[in-house]
Amino acid sequence: MNDFELHGHLIGRQGSRRDLNTPVLIVDIEALDRNIATMAAFAAANGLALRPHAKTHKSPDIARRQIAAGAIGSCCAKLGEAEALADDGVTTGLHITSPVVSPPAIARLVALNARTEGLMCVVDNPANVAAIAAANGAANAGGKPLTLIIDVDPGIRRTGVASPAAAVEVLAAIRAEPSLIYAGVQYYCGMQQHMPSYADRATAMAERADYLRSVIAALAKAGGPPSIVTGGGTGTHRIDAGLDLFTELQVGSYVFMDSQYLACALTTEGPSPFETSLMIDARVVSNNAAGMVTLDAGFKAFSTDAEPPLVLAGAPEGAKYFFMGDEHGALICPEGNAPSLSEVVTLVAPHCDPTVNLYDTYHVVAGNTLQALWPVAGRGRSR
């Protein structure tokens, strides 16, 4: 039985969140919309375009809300995520932030370009440029070109050109192909996003910015100054805005604010400008041990690449969650004060992107009432 069959009848019923089958992925619609509005206002105030990363939410419904608030489109980590958005009507301003290399994937990229507007994709190798050009030229002889962005390695050696000279080589490859358009560069500093200290993040980004400037200078000298410089992230967005480099932000996790970003100082003073809007409701299924209860949410309910989830509500202050296996988690409660059997405990996602990928559906709530069910359309679309 799917989530719509399980919970569709609860939409609009006062207090219906309590009646959801658990574990369940929850989105607080009011907090979500405030986060979307806050980032949109920040980007506009700083003269930056906003192209939020859909790898975080994988949801056409959320992408549409971001675009309605001022975003120019959506970033997607993988081709499959972009296809999922396009299949549900989000067809403008899509940018694929990972290289598309295999012949079957390139054929899909060309097909996606034909049915969307403003599609962009990164490249970091002249051979990849040639393969995309051949496929797009064959499919669209004299027709629609495909826009490419040069991916620049920020120092982690995952993807991206490894030197200014390599960037110029890729530029030349793109400009030699009539079926392609060169638009700019991508620079995503993932390692810097989760540094807890704002000052440490600012120092690290200043050093990385100097390197990007050297790449841009080389491209400009070769006749290809980038019109688009896309990158940035939730952890560095305020720093990125002051570097006088980026033209647009690829922020993603700000919509949800998982435990990893809650641990980071996103500003130099005061509280985070963003709220926790994504959470997991779990239920007490056993309470036979003093000071501890068992929840119905384990490894299959949360990503495990970060610290265990934080307790947000439904348990006494100081309660801590520990994994107990695939299906279960332990909630250790101070002074033996624990929630009762069948009570609901709300937890924060440790890392939102892979946690969302474990679920089929967002259960959208306002207060304690289920308002809507949104499919996680990009779930599992990792190719």
Side-chain angles (χ1 to χ4, degrees), residues 344-361:
V344 174
V345 177
T346 300
L347 302 114
V348 181
H351 182 184
C352 52
D353 302 26
T355 296
V356 165
N357 201 51
L358 297 170
Y359 293 86
D360 293 321
T361 311

Side-chain angles (χ1 to χ4, degrees), residues 126-196:
N128 188 207
V129 172
I132 292 173
N136 197 52
N140 298 287
K144 191 174 186 180
L146 177 62
T147 298
L148 297 184
I149 297 285
I150 299 173
D151 189 20
V152 179
D153 177 16
I156 62 176
R157 300 183 181 182
R158 182 171 65 185
T159 65
V161 294
S163 68
V168 171
E169 186 180 1
V170 174
L171 169 67
I174 297 171
R175 296 174 75 184
E177 301 289 352
S179 67
L180 303 178
I181 296 173
Y182 160 70
V185 298
Q186 173 178 280
Y187 197 61
Y188 175 64
C189 296
M191 290 181 63
Q192 286 72 27
Q193 297 303 316
H194 293 106
M195 290 180 173

Side-chain angles (χ1 to χ4, degrees), residues 18-29:
R18 177 64 177 76
D19 297 323
L20 295 172
N21 293 269
T22 55
V24 63
L25 190 67
I26 299 288
V27 168
D28 181 323
I29 185 63

Side-chain angles (χ1 to χ4, degrees), residues 173-246:
I174 297 171
R175 296 174 75 184
E177 301 289 352
S179 67
L180 303 178
I181 296 173
Y182 160 70
V185 298
Q186 173 178 280
Y187 197 61
Y188 175 64
C189 296
M191 290 181 63
Q192 286 72 27
Q193 297 303 316
H194 293 106
M195 290 180 173
S197 163
Y198 187 96
D200 289 346
R201 244 176 296 133
T203 298
M205 283 305 302
E207 186 272 331
R208 288 291 81 202
D210 285 342
Y211 175 67
L212 179 57
R213 289 188 182 95
S214 72
V215 175
I216 291 174
L219 290 169
K221 185 177 180 180
S227 59
I228 294 174
V229 180
T230 182
T234 296
T236 61
H237 72 281
R238 296 200 168 206
I239 300 163
D240 299 328
L243 294 174
D244 195 27
L245 275 173
F246 292 100

Side-chain angles (χ1 to χ4, degrees), residues 6 13-14 32 35 42 45 86 90 122 135 157 161 197 201 206 220 266 269 273 276 280 285 315 338 355 362 374:
L6 276 174
R13 182 188 296 177
Q14 190 70 27
L32 175 76
N35 289 345
F42 174 84
V90 181
V122 299
R157 300 183 181 182
V161 294
S197 163
R201 244 176 296 133
L266 297 187
E269 57 184 27
T276 298
I280 293 86
V285 294
T355 296
Y362 290 109
W374 293 343

